[in-house]
Amino acid sequence: MNRRDDMGEQLLAEHPRGEQWLQLDVTVANLTFDQLERLARLVEATPGLAPVREQLIAALPETGELAGRLASRWVRWAGLFGLPQPDLTRSRRHVLGHPYRLTTSTELDPLYLNGVLGVFDAGLGITAAPATPDGESAYERLTAAWRRVCLPSRFTPASAYGPHTQPALALLRQARDLAPATAARVLAARTALDPRAWSAARSEVHDAGIGWGFPFRSQSLFWEAVPAAEAAADQSPTDPALADALWGAAAAHAFTGRLTPATAALLRTPWQAALRPHPII
């Protein structure tokens, strides 16, 4: 079975902190620059985080499902936050340690990186800390900054992308059940578009998110589209252009009223073109 780029419904249902993981996802999509700076200050002021991180990562079974899914999420968050990607030819534990090794980089802003590490810490603490006294202590330490800065959140999974979240997510759910031929038409329609025009549209969505006050909403929505594209194509990984096409259609919904009509129409084009009735030849 291919591993989709998510935490897995069954794993979350069985995990004692599965609901908290869903909360984390929502807060990441709605993270503000102010929250990121506050996370950074708290992470910087908390001593002894490094050994807690190392112990939890070392204790994860290398071949276990959780380690694999967390490594996949680390790749997703590296892309979301603009961090260098880990070396995927290395072990899962190496991938999980990757964001923390970036603290030695001279090319990344330390304040920004520490804010981002507050998100990785929360993800690690929620999922990997065992239900033991020592595990609960590790959980408390690694999630403290996130809980203080991001909770309670005024957003839920049903409103993570604003007032038009539901149409956007409904489209992605529909995409998961596309027939292979229809998914192929979505991909073909996307690759036929002018790359410069699509890039400009993507930039407009990103800028609209910043203007809205939620700079990571656009990219978070893209990563919602990735597992939908993998399910539609029944292939993991699949062509990024398919995820891009699904993201565009979902973003046109989620960012209703925040994009120019021309941009919204372009973003919908691959989806709408593929779903029009096609004559049987």
Side-chain angles (χ1 to χ4, degrees):
M1 179 181 294
N2 290 330
R3 173 168 285 115
R4 308 304 186 192
D5 187 23
D6 55 34
M7 288 304 290
E9 291 182 6
Q10 183 175 349
L11 188 151
L12 286 179
E14 296 173 351
H15 197 288
R17 302 192 192 100
E19 288 298 320
Q20 271 206 304
W21 179 268
L22 297 178
Q23 275 190 311
L24 177 61
D25 257 351
V26 169
T27 59
V28 169
N30 292 285
L31 198 63
T32 66
F33 286 135
D34 175 67
Q35 287 178 318
L36 202 59
E37 182 174 348
R38 288 161 59 201
L39 279 172
R41 300 299 184 193
L42 289 172
V43 168
E44 289 175 345
T46 305
L49 288 177
V52 179
R53 296 161 174 163
E54 292 167 3
Q55 287 165 12
L56 289 187
I57 291 172
L60 282 172
E62 174 67 27
T63 58
E65 181 184 14
L66 179 57
R69 289 188 179 274
L70 268 184
S72 177
R73 182 52 64 102
W74 264 216
V75 170
R76 169 175 174 162
W77 280 344
L80 178 73
F81 292 117
L83 302 180
Q85 285 288 345
D87 182 355
L88 299 183
T89 66
R90 304 288 297 274
S91 71
R92 289 169 174 175
R93 291 195 186 104
H94 184 86
V95 172
L96 293 175
H98 170 74
Y100 303 117
R101 290 192 297 274
L102 294 177
T103 54
T104 61
S105 171
T106 58
E107 299 178 0
L108 295 172
D109 175 55
L111 185 66
Y112 179 80
L113 179 60
N114 275 318
V116 168
L117 291 185
V119 174
F120 284 95
D121 281 347
L124 185 63
I126 288 169
T127 58
T132 63
D134 285 346
E136 287 299 322
S137 175
Y139 160 80
E140 292 289 342
R141 288 178 62 77
L142 289 179
T143 63
W146 169 71
R147 287 184 286 113
R148 181 171 173 181
V149 171
C150 298
L151 297 182
S153 174
R154 60 191 174 97
F155 300 102
T156 69
S159 62
Y161 299 98
H164 303 283
T165 297
Q166 286 308 297
L169 296 185
L171 184 146
L172 295 179
R173 287 193 296 271
Q174 182 183 354
R176 288 174 175 267
D177 296 325
L178 290 180
T182 306
R185 289 200 297 270
V186 174
L187 176 59
R190 165 64 188 88
T191 55
L193 293 174
D194 181 349
R196 291 172 298 181
W198 188 268
S199 178
R202 176 175 276 282
S203 294
E204 186 176 326
V205 177
H206 177 70
D207 291 345
I210 293 175
W212 200 353
F214 304 106
F216 302 107
R217 267 190 182 172
S218 172
Q219 193 67 358
S220 291
L221 186 59
F222 171 78
W223 285 106
E224 296 263 14
V226 168
E230 292 179 342
D234 194 26
Q235 183 183 42
S236 178
T238 191
D239 193 319
L242 179 57
D244 210 26
L246 299 181
W247 164 83
H253 281 302
F255 286 76
T256 294
R258 299 180 180 276
L259 306 173
T260 63
T263 291
L266 179 65
L267 292 172
R268 293 189 187 99
T269 296
W271 177 259
Q272 291 180 336
L275 294 187
R276 291 191 193 108
H278 286 256
I280 298 176
I281 300 175

